[in-house]
């Protein structure tokens, strides 16, 4: 049997366990339930609504770009947390796959500008931008399919790019160039 951890105040005056959703708020004194993290839901939809109002109230922003940013912000809020910028290329691919039809019909210019902005701030590699644009092209997406692990356009086994580092995964990092990353790795998709 595993002992249930107990919330106590240490000799240094600090609590041992803190609320995972509210930074700096300690859990109550006593036994710490495993479900403590799951029953505390913070509804942050009001933040999205305020952001949407601010975007809509700006002068000179076309409606399609404002609506695109609202769609993007909602996607980022509803998706898995991104504690690192290295997860952004995969998130862009997921967005492109999930909203391909809508982007192609209504928001292609806004989406392209958004990807270029991310590229200019070194958050995406040019190959990641190309992947996202290829994903939105529904004819390509139907023909080639997407990798279920990294959302890159899938490459056949005989393709020279199969299994090679690509996009942001080629950037130097603390472990040196060629860091094993599931963000921009080209992995096979078997039918």
């Amino acid at each position: 049997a595993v002992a249930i951890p107990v919330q106590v105040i240490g000799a240094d005056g600090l609590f041992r366990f803190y609320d995972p959703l509210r930074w700096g708020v300690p859990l109550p004194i006593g036994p710490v339930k495993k479900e403590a993290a799951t029953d505390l839901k913070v509804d942050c939809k009001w933040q999205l609504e305020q952001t949407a109002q601010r975007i809509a109230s700006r002068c000179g922003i076309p409606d399609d770009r404002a609506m695109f940013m609202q769609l993007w912000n909602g996607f980022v809020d509803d998706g898995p947390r991104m504690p690192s910028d290295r997860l952004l290329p995969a998130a862009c691919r997921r967005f492109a796959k999930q909203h391909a039809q809508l982007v192609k019909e209504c928001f292609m210019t806004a989406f392209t500008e958004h990807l270029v902005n991310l590229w200019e701030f070194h958050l995406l590699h040019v190959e990641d931008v190309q992947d996202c644009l290829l994903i939105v092209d529904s004819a390509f997406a139907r023909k080639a399919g997407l990798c279920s692990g990294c959302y890159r356009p899938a490459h056949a086994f005989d393709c020279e790019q199969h299994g090679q580092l690509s996009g942001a995964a080629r950037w130097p990092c603390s472990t040196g160039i060629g860091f094993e990353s599931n963000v921009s790795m080209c992995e096979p998709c078997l039918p």
Side-chain angles (χ1 to χ4, degrees), residues 18-19 22-26:
Y18 287 84
D19 189 315
R22 297 181 185 103
W23 286 25
V25 177

Side-chain angles (χ1 to χ4, degrees), residues 74-167:
F75 172 80
V76 170
D77 184 62
D78 291 340
R81 282 187 67 230
M82 287 191 290
S84 169
D85 289 342
R86 287 185 74 76
L87 299 176
L88 191 58
C92 289
R93 289 187 196 95
R94 279 196 314 275
F95 178 85
K97 181 179 180 183
Q98 186 175 339
H99 299 287
Q101 191 66 31
L102 185 61
V103 168
K104 188 166 184 146
E105 292 174 2
C106 305
F107 302 124
M108 194 62 185
T109 302
F111 182 56
T112 304
E113 288 177 356
H114 182 64
L115 293 173
V116 169
N117 283 337
L118 293 173
W119 169 72
E120 286 177 347
F121 284 96
H122 305 288
L123 296 171
L124 291 181
H125 188 274
V126 70
E127 291 177 9
D128 298 319
V129 173
Q130 291 168 351
D131 285 351
C132 291
L133 295 176
L134 287 173
I135 290 168
V136 169
D137 181 9
S138 59
F140 179 85
R142 278 195 308 271
K143 180 181 170 193
L146 302 176
C147 177
S148 61
C150 65
Y151 294 98
R152 285 187 58 99
H155 299 285
F157 287 108
D158 57 349
C159 176
E160 64 184 35
Q161 292 186 14
H162 174 73
Q164 300 296 318
L165 290 174
S166 170

